[in-house]
Amino acid sequence: MLAFIIRRIVQSALVMLVVALVAFALFRYVGDPISSMVGQETSLADREALRTTLGLNDPFIVQFGRFIGNAIQGDFGISYRLQQPVMELILQRLPATLELALVSGLAAFIFGVSAGVYTALNRRGFLSTGIMAVSLIGVSLPTFLIGILLIWLFAVELQWLPSFGRGDTVALPGGWTTGFLTSSGRQSLILPAITLGLFQMTLIMRLVRAEMLEVLRTDYIKFARARGLSNRTVHFGHALKNTLVPVITITGLQLGAIIAFAIITETVFQWPGVGALFINSVRAVDVPVMAAYLVLIALIFVIINLIVDLLYYVVDPRLRVERGAARH
Amino acid sequence: MTEPLLSVRDLVVEFPTRRGMLRALDGVSFDIAPGEVLGMVGESGAGKSITGAAIIGLIEPPGRIVRGEIRLAGERIDNLPPEAMRRIRGKRIGMVFQDPLTSLNPLYTVARQLIETIRVHLDMSEAEARAHAIGLLDRVGIPAAARRIDDYPHHFSGGMRQRVVIALALAAEPELVIADEPTTALDVSVQSQIIDVLKEICAERGAAVMLITHDMGVIAETADRVAVLYAGRMAEIGPVRDVILNASHPYTSGLMASIPTLVQDTDRLVQIPGSMPRLNAIPSGCAFNPRCNQAFERCRIEQPPLIDVAPRHAAACWLAEEETKNDG
């Protein structure tokens, strides 16, 4: 178990190193950092002097080493556009994105699994057919369109929910701002969370349904029935747990995707998260922010992957290898 | 003869398909006496497993029983409501499946699967059920049962897993055990051990066994009576010795002749020419007539009923009728 965790952490570190290399290359070679810092009238000699003081004339490996060293300490430099430390900017915006991703991810998982199980158990039912038809829409409609449709229906026509922003937030100790504690914050969360989570929900639902149907055909389910276990025990005790093994992986990766692709939803709803920050930075060629965002998203993916691997381990006893192969 | 434990009368099972109804079982009738071992042989698709599934009430939909009745100790069980049938499964009729590698839920320990089965059927506390489970494992020949009970299925070898499956099937002391090819998936060296364990335990508890197999050797050693199925119909049924020595149906004779023996020194194995008809293309008259070297006009037109050829020994063959006429 410990060896497994250490191996996975080393692998994760390698992945992060590669991503950091890409981020660094972006930072260092997309445009000239000096020209975005100084004005038009700075002389070539001054530029060269600045270049030397900033260490931009050092060998590549030294510069990369310095980048990594700073990144580990959370230092990604100063934003060109906002003239603030990049890390500070991201930390300000991160709570908004994480709260949005958490709510939509959780909702997608809960509704996805329930609907998946329901449609698998009542395959030919009227409601199942309906859910499957609606899920097809969820899978095929692009996110921005869903967002706009929701805004039109619930914000413009019905005027039930706000169409943009995060509502009022409450600052918690540690620099975290939360929208959960105010009613306008909670209301503002609903539409973006649906928009962001709908695709994931339908995906999880279809996956759970397919896996569940597969599991229900297995011998151990037939044997469980032949032993006289109740339908409830068979479906939720035996079938569901086996269904969840592959579902965990996909759901984990989807959570990463939710955070990374919140960009579109955040843009549609003017949500003040890191996604919106990234889009604005791209427009302004704010390279330090882009590089930091890249590293951050990679870090989130790597951490989620690590957690998924460990969860696998908890759910599936066959992976607990230290007890050895079949004993006789 | 005492009242039969299991009585199957004129059982017809059909599966609707796109190309019409497939009749998997066509008017099968037989009895099993308390404590008796009935062997059931036939080629793949002859209806052996469907018969087992019909008795325990687990025919895969859309297949269904369209005619006939199944009685357990005189009480009809083929039309019971699902909940009543569930209480019979495992409690009064146990089932052992073909492949021990897939019959057990991989995510739960053997203890958990045994205890849940015991507690569904018997009024026992967790601790009592556990003690009972250890006793069962010990009885089916699992060494160090008290320690091994907390292992997962993948910690056991194939033969050991089949012992666990037998323990599960017998957990609530059923009166009838349906063993569907219990040794087919096992290594030859452990096949006879498993059959011995099954036979011994059932004999000791007075449970009757319906042993489905295509291994005539196993039948000869184990069964009291044997039923031969062909294309969903009963071809011949009778005491094992009678059927083996005086096979009255040409199909049974063919089966017997195709068992290789060490005594005869032959270059070629004897085989029955042709193959069993598909269920949607069963010829009129006797289903075996196209492959039968003794078939005559009547065999192609009229389906033979089961005709008694000796006490308790019957064959569905017009030749048998000729013989009994000549004798009489």
Side-chain angles (χ1 to χ4, degrees), chain A residues 219-220 223 227-228 237-238 242 323 327-328, chain B residues 86 95 102 105 108 113 116-117 121 151 155:
Chain A
D219 283 353
Y220 56 83
F223 188 47
R227 284 189 273 142
H238 287 260
N242 278 281
R323 293 190 74 179
R327 279 190 261 140
H328 291 261
Chain B
R86 180 187 70 72
M95 186 139 186
T102 56
N105 188 334
Y108 292 132
Q113 300 188 50
E116 83 182 343
T117 310
H121 298 296
D151 281 349
H155 292 131

mmCIF file with all atom_site columns, all heavy atoms in Angstrom, chain A residues 219-220 223 227-228 237-238 242 323 327-328, chain B residues 86 95 102 105 108 113 116-117 121 151 155:
data_model
loop_
_atom_site.group_PDB
_atom_site.id
_atom_site.type_symbol
_atom_site.label_atom_id
_atom_site.label_alt_id
_atom_site.label_comp_id
_atom_site.label_asym_id
_atom_site.label_entity_id
_atom_site.label_seq_id
_atom_site.pdbx_PDB_ins_code
_atom_site.Cartn_x
_atom_site.Cartn_y
_atom_site.Cartn_z
_atom_site.occupancy
_atom_site.B_iso_or_equiv
_atom_site.pdbx_formal_charge
_atom_site.auth_seq_id
_atom_site.auth_comp_id
_atom_site.auth_asym_id
_atom_site.auth_atom_id
_atom_site.pdbx_PDB_model_num
ATOM 1   N N   . ASP A 1 219 ? -22.685 -13.728 -13.499 1.00 0.00 ? 219 ASP A N   1
ATOM 2   C CA  . ASP A 1 219 ? -23.040 -14.934 -12.765 1.00 0.00 ? 219 ASP A CA  1
ATOM 3   C C   . ASP A 1 219 ? -23.263 -14.665 -11.291 1.00 0.00 ? 219 ASP A C   1
ATOM 4   O O   . ASP A 1 219 ? -24.127 -15.260 -10.673 1.00 0.00 ? 219 ASP A O   1
ATOM 5   C CB  . ASP A 1 219 ? -21.921 -15.979 -12.914 1.00 0.00 ? 219 ASP A CB  1
ATOM 6   C CG  . ASP A 1 219 ? -21.968 -16.655 -14.264 1.00 0.00 ? 219 ASP A CG  1
ATOM 7   O OD1 . ASP A 1 219 ? -22.926 -16.403 -15.009 1.00 0.00 ? 219 ASP A OD1 1
ATOM 8   O OD2 . ASP A 1 219 ? -21.043 -17.427 -14.569 1.00 0.00 ? 219 ASP A OD2 1
ATOM 9   N N   . TYR A 1 220 ? -22.442 -13.761 -10.714 1.00 0.00 ? 220 TYR A N   1
ATOM 10  C CA  . TYR A 1 220 ? -22.603 -13.602 -9.272  1.00 0.00 ? 220 TYR A CA  1
ATOM 11  C C   . TYR A 1 220 ? -23.912 -12.923 -8.915  1.00 0.00 ? 220 TYR A C   1
ATOM 12  O O   . TYR A 1 220 ? -24.424 -13.108 -7.814  1.00 0.00 ? 220 TYR A O   1
ATOM 13  C CB  . TYR A 1 220 ? -21.398 -12.914 -8.619  1.00 0.00 ? 220 TYR A CB  1
ATOM 14  C CG  . TYR A 1 220 ? -21.000 -11.582 -9.161  1.00 0.00 ? 220 TYR A CG  1
ATOM 15  C CD1 . TYR A 1 220 ? -21.648 -10.421 -8.745  1.00 0.00 ? 220 TYR A CD1 1
ATOM 16  C CD2 . TYR A 1 220 ? -19.972 -11.466 -10.082 1.00 0.00 ? 220 TYR A CD2 1
ATOM 17  C CE1 . TYR A 1 220 ? -21.270 -9.196  -9.241  1.00 0.00 ? 220 TYR A CE1 1
ATOM 18  C CE2 . TYR A 1 220 ? -19.596 -10.247 -10.590 1.00 0.00 ? 220 TYR A CE2 1
ATOM 19  C CZ  . TYR A 1 220 ? -20.248 -9.111  -10.168 1.00 0.00 ? 220 TYR A CZ  1
ATOM 20  O OH  . TYR A 1 220 ? -19.894 -7.892  -10.661 1.00 0.00 ? 220 TYR A OH  1
ATOM 21  N N   . PHE A 1 223 ? -26.322 -15.807 -9.157  1.00 0.00 ? 223 PHE A N   1
ATOM 22  C CA  . PHE A 1 223 ? -26.131 -16.658 -7.987  1.00 0.00 ? 223 PHE A CA  1
ATOM 23  C C   . PHE A 1 223 ? -26.730 -15.995 -6.744  1.00 0.00 ? 223 PHE A C   1
ATOM 24  O O   . PHE A 1 223 ? -27.338 -16.655 -5.911  1.00 0.00 ? 223 PHE A O   1
ATOM 25  C CB  . PHE A 1 223 ? -24.640 -16.954 -7.795  1.00 0.00 ? 223 PHE A CB  1
ATOM 26  C CG  . PHE A 1 223 ? -24.351 -17.983 -6.734  1.00 0.00 ? 223 PHE A CG  1
ATOM 27  C CD1 . PHE A 1 223 ? -25.061 -19.166 -6.687  1.00 0.00 ? 223 PHE A CD1 1
ATOM 28  C CD2 . PHE A 1 223 ? -23.368 -17.769 -5.783  1.00 0.00 ? 223 PHE A CD2 1
ATOM 29  C CE1 . PHE A 1 223 ? -24.803 -20.118 -5.715  1.00 0.00 ? 223 PHE A CE1 1
ATOM 30  C CE2 . PHE A 1 223 ? -23.107 -18.707 -4.800  1.00 0.00 ? 223 PHE A CE2 1
ATOM 31  C CZ  . PHE A 1 223 ? -23.826 -19.891 -4.770  1.00 0.00 ? 223 PHE A CZ  1
ATOM 32  N N   . ARG A 1 227 ? -29.619 -17.517 -4.418  1.00 0.00 ? 227 ARG A N   1
ATOM 33  C CA  . ARG A 1 227 ? -29.484 -17.739 -2.978  1.00 0.00 ? 227 ARG A CA  1
ATOM 34  C C   . ARG A 1 227 ? -30.678 -17.172 -2.219  1.00 0.00 ? 227 ARG A C   1
ATOM 35  O O   . ARG A 1 227 ? -30.725 -17.238 -1.010  1.00 0.00 ? 227 ARG A O   1
ATOM 36  C CB  . ARG A 1 227 ? -28.205 -17.052 -2.474  1.00 0.00 ? 227 ARG A CB  1
ATOM 37  C CG  . ARG A 1 227 ? -26.949 -17.809 -2.840  1.00 0.00 ? 227 ARG A CG  1
ATOM 38  C CD  . ARG A 1 227 ? -25.751 -17.217 -2.134  1.00 0.00 ? 227 ARG A CD  1
ATOM 39  N NE  . ARG A 1 227 ? -25.149 -16.130 -2.872  1.00 0.00 ? 227 ARG A NE  1
ATOM 40  C CZ  . ARG A 1 227 ? -24.652 -15.041 -2.305  1.00 0.00 ? 227 ARG A CZ  1
ATOM 41  N NH1 . ARG A 1 227 ? -24.731 -14.876 -1.014  1.00 0.00 ? 227 ARG A NH1 1
ATOM 42  N NH2 . ARG A 1 227 ? -24.092 -14.103 -3.032  1.00 0.00 ? 227 ARG A NH2 1
ATOM 43  N N   . GLY A 1 228 ? -31.609 -16.539 -2.950  1.00 0.00 ? 228 GLY A N   1
ATOM 44  C CA  . GLY A 1 228 ? -32.817 -16.048 -2.300  1.00 0.00 ? 228 GLY A CA  1
ATOM 45  C C   . GLY A 1 228 ? -32.670 -14.675 -1.682  1.00 0.00 ? 228 GLY A C   1
ATOM 46  O O   . GLY A 1 228 ? -33.478 -14.291 -0.848  1.00 0.00 ? 228 GLY A O   1
ATOM 47  N N   . GLY A 1 237 ? -26.885 -3.861  -2.867  1.00 0.00 ? 237 GLY A N   1
ATOM 48  C CA  . GLY A 1 237 ? -25.748 -4.415  -2.137  1.00 0.00 ? 237 GLY A CA  1
ATOM 49  C C   . GLY A 1 237 ? -24.696 -4.969  -3.077  1.00 0.00 ? 237 GLY A C   1
ATOM 50  O O   . GLY A 1 237 ? -23.511 -4.693  -2.941  1.00 0.00 ? 237 GLY A O   1
ATOM 51  N N   . HIS A 1 238 ? -25.135 -5.759  -4.065  1.00 0.00 ? 238 HIS A N   1
ATOM 52  C CA  . HIS A 1 238 ? -24.165 -6.455  -4.907  1.00 0.00 ? 238 HIS A CA  1
ATOM 53  C C   . HIS A 1 238 ? -23.889 -5.744  -6.221  1.00 0.00 ? 238 HIS A C   1
ATOM 54  O O   . HIS A 1 238 ? -22.741 -5.555  -6.603  1.00 0.00 ? 238 HIS A O   1
ATOM 55  C CB  . HIS A 1 238 ? -24.628 -7.886  -5.173  1.00 0.00 ? 238 HIS A CB  1
ATOM 56  C CG  . HIS A 1 238 ? -24.496 -8.771  -3.973  1.00 0.00 ? 238 HIS A CG  1
ATOM 57  N ND1 . HIS A 1 238 ? -23.453 -9.637  -3.801  1.00 0.00 ? 238 HIS A ND1 1
ATOM 58  C CD2 . HIS A 1 238 ? -25.259 -8.879  -2.858  1.00 0.00 ? 238 HIS A CD2 1
ATOM 59  C CE1 . HIS A 1 238 ? -23.576 -10.261 -2.637  1.00 0.00 ? 238 HIS A CE1 1
ATOM 60  N NE2 . HIS A 1 238 ? -24.675 -9.818  -2.048  1.00 0.00 ? 238 HIS A NE2 1
ATOM 61  N N   . ASN A 1 242 ? -20.343 -3.047  -7.536  1.00 0.00 ? 242 ASN A N   1
ATOM 62  C CA  . ASN A 1 242 ? -19.529 -3.457  -8.679  1.00 0.00 ? 242 ASN A CA  1
ATOM 63  C C   . ASN A 1 242 ? -19.625 -2.453  -9.815  1.00 0.00 ? 242 ASN A C   1
ATOM 64  O O   . ASN A 1 242 ? -18.683 -2.265  -10.573 1.00 0.00 ? 242 ASN A O   1
ATOM 65  C CB  . ASN A 1 242 ? -19.956 -4.841  -9.166  1.00 0.00 ? 242 ASN A CB  1
ATOM 66  C CG  . ASN A 1 242 ? -19.332 -5.944  -8.333  1.00 0.00 ? 242 ASN A CG  1
ATOM 67  O OD1 . ASN A 1 242 ? -18.185 -6.284  -8.519  1.00 0.00 ? 242 ASN A OD1 1
ATOM 68  N ND2 . ASN A 1 242 ? -20.089 -6.461  -7.384  1.00 0.00 ? 242 ASN A ND2 1
ATOM 69  N N   . ARG A 1 323 ? -1.610  -9.122  0.013   1.00 0.00 ? 323 ARG A N   1
ATOM 70  C CA  . ARG A 1 323 ? -2.007  -10.392 0.621   1.00 0.00 ? 323 ARG A CA  1
ATOM 71  C C   . ARG A 1 323 ? -1.706  -11.561 -0.303  1.00 0.00 ? 323 ARG A C   1
ATOM 72  O O   . ARG A 1 323 ? -1.975  -12.706 0.008   1.00 0.00 ? 323 ARG A O   1
ATOM 73  C CB  . ARG A 1 323 ? -3.489  -10.371 0.982   1.00 0.00 ? 323 ARG A CB  1
ATOM 74  C CG  . ARG A 1 323 ? -3.767  -9.390  2.071   1.00 0.00 ? 323 ARG A CG  1
ATOM 75  C CD  . ARG A 1 323 ? -5.157  -9.541  2.594   1.00 0.00 ? 323 ARG A CD  1
ATOM 76  N NE  . ARG A 1 323 ? -5.288  -10.728 3.432   1.00 0.00 ? 323 ARG A NE  1
ATOM 77  C CZ  . ARG A 1 323 ? -6.426  -11.042 4.022   1.00 0.00 ? 323 ARG A CZ  1
ATOM 78  N NH1 . ARG A 1 323 ? -7.492  -10.313 3.838   1.00 0.00 ? 323 ARG A NH1 1
ATOM 79  N NH2 . ARG A 1 323 ? -6.508  -12.113 4.781   1.00 0.00 ? 323 ARG A NH2 1
ATOM 80  N N   . ARG A 1 327 ? -4.346  -18.257 -2.585  1.00 0.00 ? 327 ARG A N   1
ATOM 81  C CA  . ARG A 1 327 ? -3.737  -19.240 -1.688  1.00 0.00 ? 327 ARG A CA  1
ATOM 82  C C   . ARG A 1 327 ? -4.541  -20.515 -1.750  1.00 0.00 ? 327 ARG A C   1
ATOM 83  O O   . ARG A 1 327 ? -5.705  -20.505 -2.092  1.00 0.00 ? 327 ARG A O   1
ATOM 84  C CB  . ARG A 1 327 ? -3.750  -18.692 -0.256  1.00 0.00 ? 327 ARG A CB  1
ATOM 85  C CG  . ARG A 1 327 ? -2.622  -17.740 0.005   1.00 0.00 ? 327 ARG A CG  1
ATOM 86  C CD  . ARG A 1 327 ? -2.564  -17.438 1.483   1.00 0.00 ? 327 ARG A CD  1
ATOM 87  N NE  . ARG A 1 327 ? -3.215  -16.169 1.765   1.00 0.00 ? 327 ARG A NE  1
ATOM 88  C CZ  . ARG A 1 327 ? -3.978  -15.981 2.827   1.00 0.00 ? 327 ARG A CZ  1
ATOM 89  N NH1 . ARG A 1 327 ? -4.228  -16.959 3.651   1.00 0.00 ? 327 ARG A NH1 1
ATOM 90  N NH2 . ARG A 1 327 ? -4.488  -14.807 3.059   1.00 0.00 ? 327 ARG A NH2 1
ATOM 91  N N   . HIS A 1 328 ? -3.905  -21.599 -1.413  1.00 0.00 ? 328 HIS A N   1
ATOM 92  C CA  . HIS A 1 328 ? -4.649  -22.853 -1.498  1.00 0.00 ? 328 HIS A CA  1
ATOM 93  C C   . HIS A 1 328 ? -4.887  -23.454 -0.129  1.00 0.00 ? 328 HIS A C   1
ATOM 94  O O   . HIS A 1 328 ? -4.276  -23.076 0.818   1.00 0.00 ? 328 HIS A O   1
ATOM 95  C CB  . HIS A 1 328 ? -3.889  -23.855 -2.368  1.00 0.00 ? 328 HIS A CB  1
ATOM 96  C CG  . HIS A 1 328 ? -3.884  -23.418 -3.809  1.00 0.00 ? 328 HIS A CG  1
ATOM 97  N ND1 . HIS A 1 328 ? -4.746  -23.923 -4.746  1.00 0.00 ? 328 HIS A ND1 1
ATOM 98  C CD2 . HIS A 1 328 ? -3.158  -22.487 -4.422  1.00 0.00 ? 328 HIS A CD2 1
ATOM 99  C CE1 . HIS A 1 328 ? -4.513  -23.327 -5.885  1.00 0.00 ? 328 HIS A CE1 1
ATOM 100 N NE2 . HIS A 1 328 ? -3.558  -22.456 -5.729  1.00 0.00 ? 328 HIS A NE2 1
ATOM 101 N N   . ARG B 2 86  ? -38.906 -16.063 -4.009  1.00 0.00 ? 86  ARG B N   1
ATOM 102 C CA  . ARG B 2 86  ? -37.596 -15.690 -3.489  1.00 0.00 ? 86  ARG B CA  1
ATOM 103 C C   . ARG B 2 86  ? -37.296 -16.438 -2.195  1.00 0.00 ? 86  ARG B C   1
ATOM 104 O O   . ARG B 2 86  ? -36.185 -16.871 -1.957  1.00 0.00 ? 86  ARG B O   1
ATOM 105 C CB  . ARG B 2 86  ? -37.543 -14.181 -3.233  1.00 0.00 ? 86  ARG B CB  1
ATOM 106 C CG  . ARG B 2 86  ? -36.207 -13.727 -2.680  1.00 0.00 ? 86  ARG B CG  1
ATOM 107 C CD  . ARG B 2 86  ? -36.217 -12.274 -2.262  1.00 0.00 ? 86  ARG B CD  1
ATOM 108 N NE  . ARG B 2 86  ? -37.026 -12.008 -1.086  1.00 0.00 ? 86  ARG B NE  1
ATOM 109 C CZ  . ARG B 2 86  ? -36.693 -12.383 0.154   1.00 0.00 ? 86  ARG B CZ  1
ATOM 110 N NH1 . ARG B 2 86  ? -35.589 -13.041 0.363   1.00 0.00 ? 86  ARG B NH1 1
ATOM 111 N NH2 . ARG B 2 86  ? -37.467 -12.092 1.161   1.00 0.00 ? 86  ARG B NH2 1
ATOM 112 N N   . MET B 2 95  ? -28.797 -23.701 -5.496  1.00 0.00 ? 95  MET B N   1
ATOM 113 C CA  . MET B 2 95  ? -28.280 -23.849 -6.853  1.00 0.00 ? 95  MET B CA  1
ATOM 114 C C   . MET B 2 95  ? -26.778 -23.637 -6.866  1.00 0.00 ? 95  MET B C   1
ATOM 115 O O   . MET B 2 95  ? -26.256 -22.739 -6.213  1.00 0.00 ? 95  MET B O   1
ATOM 116 C CB  . MET B 2 95  ? -28.977 -22.844 -7.769  1.00 0.00 ? 95  MET B CB  1
ATOM 117 C CG  . MET B 2 95  ? -28.609 -23.012 -9.217  1.00 0.00 ? 95  MET B CG  1
ATOM 118 S SD  . MET B 2 95  ? -30.049 -22.832 -10.273 1.00 0.00 ? 95  MET B SD  1
ATOM 119 C CE  . MET B 2 95  ? -29.331 -23.252 -11.859 1.00 0.00 ? 95  MET B CE  1
ATOM 120 N N   . THR B 2 102 ? -16.722 -16.925 -11.402 1.00 0.00 ? 102 THR B N   1
ATOM 121 C CA  . THR B 2 102 ? -17.589 -15.771 -11.592 1.00 0.00 ? 102 THR B CA  1
ATOM 122 C C   . THR B 2 102 ? -18.860 -15.826 -10.730 1.00 0.00 ? 102 THR B C   1
ATOM 123 O O   . THR B 2 102 ? -19.668 -14.920 -10.780 1.00 0.00 ? 102 THR B O   1
ATOM 124 C CB  . THR B 2 102 ? -18.016 -15.635 -13.070 1.00 0.00 ? 102 THR B CB  1
ATOM 125 O OG1 . THR B 2 102 ? -18.637 -16.848 -13.470 1.00 0.00 ? 102 THR B OG1 1
ATOM 126 C CG2 . THR B 2 102 ? -16.832 -15.381 -13.971 1.00 0.00 ? 102 THR B CG2 1
ATOM 127 N N   . ASN B 2 105 ? -19.350 -12.745 -5.671  1.00 0.00 ? 105 ASN B N   1
ATOM 128 C CA  . ASN B 2 105 ? -19.129 -11.309 -5.830  1.00 0.00 ? 105 ASN B CA  1
ATOM 129 C C   . ASN B 2 105 ? -17.703 -10.975 -5.410  1.00 0.00 ? 105 ASN B C   1
ATOM 130 O O   . ASN B 2 105 ? -17.320 -11.206 -4.268  1.00 0.00 ? 105 ASN B O   1
ATOM 131 C CB  . ASN B 2 105 ? -20.131 -10.548 -4.962  1.00 0.00 ? 105 ASN B CB  1
ATOM 132 C CG  . ASN B 2 105 ? -20.104 -9.057  -5.227  1.00 0.00 ? 105 ASN B CG  1
ATOM 133 O OD1 . ASN B 2 105 ? -19.076 -8.518  -5.656  1.00 0.00 ? 105 ASN B OD1 1
ATOM 134 N ND2 . ASN B 2 105 ? -21.200 -8.387  -4.991  1.00 0.00 ? 105 ASN B ND2 1
ATOM 135 N N   . TYR B 2 108 ? -16.854 -8.676  -2.058  1.00 0.00 ? 108 TYR B N   1
ATOM 136 C CA  . TYR B 2 108 ? -17.218 -8.992  -0.679  1.00 0.00 ? 108 TYR B CA  1
ATOM 137 C C   . TYR B 2 108 ? -16.488 -10.239 -0.204  1.00 0.00 ? 108 TYR B C   1
ATOM 138 O O   . TYR B 2 108 ? -16.234 -11.150 -0.992  1.00 0.00 ? 108 TYR B O   1
ATOM 139 C CB  . TYR B 2 108 ? -18.729 -9.212  -0.567  1.00 0.00 ? 108 TYR B CB  1
ATOM 140 C CG  . TYR B 2 108 ? -19.532 -7.962  -0.782  1.00 0.00 ? 108 TYR B CG  1
ATOM 141 C CD1 . TYR B 2 108 ? -20.623 -7.961  -1.635  1.00 0.00 ? 108 TYR B CD1 1
ATOM 142 C CD2 . TYR B 2 108 ? -19.194 -6.779  -0.131  1.00 0.00 ? 108 TYR B CD2 1
ATOM 143 C CE1 . TYR B 2 108 ? -21.365 -6.799  -1.835  1.00 0.00 ? 108 TYR B CE1 1
ATOM 144 C CE2 . TYR B 2 108 ? -19.933 -5.632  -0.324  1.00 0.00 ? 108 TYR B CE2 1
ATOM 145 C CZ  . TYR B 2 108 ? -21.019 -5.640  -1.171  1.00 0.00 ? 108 TYR B CZ  1
ATOM 146 O OH  . TYR B 2 108 ? -21.751 -4.510  -1.365  1.00 0.00 ? 108 TYR B OH  1
ATOM 147 N N   . GLN B 2 113 ? -20.775 -12.927 2.255   1.00 0.00 ? 113 GLN B N   1
ATOM 148 C CA  . GLN B 2 113 ? -21.735 -13.549 1.340   1.00 0.00 ? 113 GLN B CA  1
ATOM 149 C C   . GLN B 2 113 ? -22.444 -14.717 2.012   1.00 0.00 ? 113 GLN B C   1
ATOM 150 O O   . GLN B 2 113 ? -23.644 -14.917 1.828   1.00 0.00 ? 113 GLN B O   1
ATOM 151 C CB  . GLN B 2 113 ? -21.028 -13.970 0.050   1.00 0.00 ? 113 GLN B CB  1
ATOM 152 C CG  . GLN B 2 113 ? -20.406 -12.754 -0.637  1.00 0.00 ? 113 GLN B CG  1
ATOM 153 C CD  . GLN B 2 113 ? -19.833 -13.031 -2.023  1.00 0.00 ? 113 GLN B CD  1
ATOM 154 O OE1 . GLN B 2 113 ? -20.488 -13.613 -2.868  1.00 0.00 ? 113 GLN B OE1 1
ATOM 155 N NE2 . GLN B 2 113 ? -18.601 -12.604 -2.257  1.00 0.00 ? 113 GLN B NE2 1
ATOM 156 N N   . GLU B 2 116 ? -24.852 -13.244 4.876   1.00 0.00 ? 116 GLU B N   1
ATOM 157 C CA  . GLU B 2 116 ? -26.072 -12.609 4.374   1.00 0.00 ? 116 GLU B CA  1
ATOM 158 C C   . GLU B 2 116 ? -27.067 -13.666 3.887   1.00 0.00 ? 116 GLU B C   1
ATOM 159 O O   . GLU B 2 116 ? -28.266 -13.549 4.107   1.00 0.00 ? 116 GLU B O   1
ATOM 160 C CB  . GLU B 2 116 ? -25.765 -11.567 3.297   1.00 0.00 ? 116 GLU B CB  1
ATOM 161 C CG  . GLU B 2 116 ? -25.578 -12.116 1.904   1.00 0.00 ? 116 GLU B CG  1
ATOM 162 C CD  . GLU B 2 116 ? -25.234 -11.061 0.874   1.00 0.00 ? 116 GLU B CD  1
ATOM 163 O OE1 . GLU B 2 116 ? -25.447 -9.855  1.128   1.00 0.00 ? 116 GLU B OE1 1
ATOM 164 O OE2 . GLU B 2 116 ? -24.748 -11.444 -0.204  1.00 0.00 ? 116 GLU B OE2 1
ATOM 165 N N   . THR B 2 117 ? -26.542 -14.732 3.249   1.00 0.00 ? 117 THR B N   1
ATOM 166 C CA  . THR B 2 117 ? -27.430 -15.792 2.765   1.00 0.00 ? 117 THR B CA  1
ATOM 167 C C   . THR B 2 117 ? -28.090 -16.509 3.938   1.00 0.00 ? 117 THR B C   1
ATOM 168 O O   . THR B 2 117 ? -29.300 -16.760 3.934   1.00 0.00 ? 117 THR B O   1
ATOM 169 C CB  . THR B 2 117 ? -26.626 -16.810 1.938   1.00 0.00 ? 117 THR B CB  1
ATOM 170 O OG1 . THR B 2 117 ? -25.854 -16.101 0.980   1.00 0.00 ? 117 THR B OG1 1
ATOM 171 C CG2 . THR B 2 117 ? -27.543 -17.780 1.231   1.00 0.00 ? 117 THR B CG2 1
ATOM 172 N N   . HIS B 2 121 ? -32.413 -16.513 5.337   1.00 0.00 ? 121 HIS B N   1
ATOM 173 C CA  . HIS B 2 121 ? -33.296 -17.681 5.436   1.00 0.00 ? 121 HIS B CA  1
ATOM 174 C C   . HIS B 2 121 ? -33.479 -18.219 6.848   1.00 0.00 ? 121 HIS B C   1
ATOM 175 O O   . HIS B 2 121 ? -34.499 -18.809 7.155   1.00 0.00 ? 121 HIS B O   1
ATOM 176 C CB  . HIS B 2 121 ? -32.756 -18.797 4.542   1.00 0.00 ? 121 HIS B CB  1
ATOM 177 C CG  . HIS B 2 121 ? -32.706 -18.429 3.101   1.00 0.00 ? 121 HIS B CG  1
ATOM 178 N ND1 . HIS B 2 121 ? -33.840 -18.150 2.376   1.00 0.00 ? 121 HIS B ND1 1
ATOM 179 C CD2 . HIS B 2 121 ? -31.674 -18.257 2.254   1.00 0.00 ? 121 HIS B CD2 1
ATOM 180 C CE1 . HIS B 2 121 ? -33.493 -17.848 1.140   1.00 0.00 ? 121 HIS B CE1 1
ATOM 181 N NE2 . HIS B 2 121 ? -32.187 -17.898 1.041   1.00 0.00 ? 121 HIS B NE2 1
ATOM 182 N N   . ASP B 2 151 ? -11.425 -14.114 3.915   1.00 0.00 ? 151 ASP B N   1
ATOM 183 C CA  . ASP B 2 151 ? -10.742 -13.823 2.651   1.00 0.00 ? 151 ASP B CA  1
ATOM 184 C C   . ASP B 2 151 ? -11.745 -13.465 1.562   1.00 0.00 ? 151 ASP B C   1
ATOM 185 O O   . ASP B 2 151 ? -12.924 -13.784 1.657   1.00 0.00 ? 151 ASP B O   1
ATOM 186 C CB  . ASP B 2 151 ? -9.939  -15.050 2.204   1.00 0.00 ? 151 ASP B CB  1
ATOM 187 C CG  . ASP B 2 151 ? -8.628  -15.170 2.975   1.00 0.00 ? 151 ASP B CG  1
ATOM 188 O OD1 . ASP B 2 151 ? -8.275  -14.199 3.666   1.00 0.00 ? 151 ASP B OD1 1
ATOM 189 O OD2 . ASP B 2 151 ? -7.995  -16.225 2.890   1.00 0.00 ? 151 ASP B OD2 1
ATOM 190 N N   . HIS B 2 155 ? -8.845  -14.869 -3.311  1.00 0.00 ? 155 HIS B N   1
ATOM 191 C CA  . HIS B 2 155 ? -7.790  -15.535 -2.547  1.00 0.00 ? 155 HIS B CA  1
ATOM 192 C C   . HIS B 2 155 ? -7.888  -17.053 -2.643  1.00 0.00 ? 155 HIS B C   1
ATOM 193 O O   . HIS B 2 155 ? -7.013  -17.757 -2.182  1.00 0.00 ? 155 HIS B O   1
ATOM 194 C CB  . HIS B 2 155 ? -7.865  -15.128 -1.068  1.00 0.00 ? 155 HIS B CB  1
ATOM 195 C CG  . HIS B 2 155 ? -7.515  -13.694 -0.832  1.00 0.00 ? 155 HIS B CG  1
ATOM 196 N ND1 . HIS B 2 155 ? -8.290  -12.861 -0.073  1.00 0.00 ? 155 HIS B ND1 1
ATOM 197 C CD2 . HIS B 2 155 ? -6.487  -12.949 -1.283  1.00 0.00 ? 155 HIS B CD2 1
ATOM 198 C CE1 . HIS B 2 155 ? -7.750  -11.653 -0.056  1.00 0.00 ? 155 HIS B CE1 1
ATOM 199 N NE2 . HIS B 2 155 ? -6.666  -11.689 -0.793  1.00 0.00 ? 155 HIS B NE2 1
#
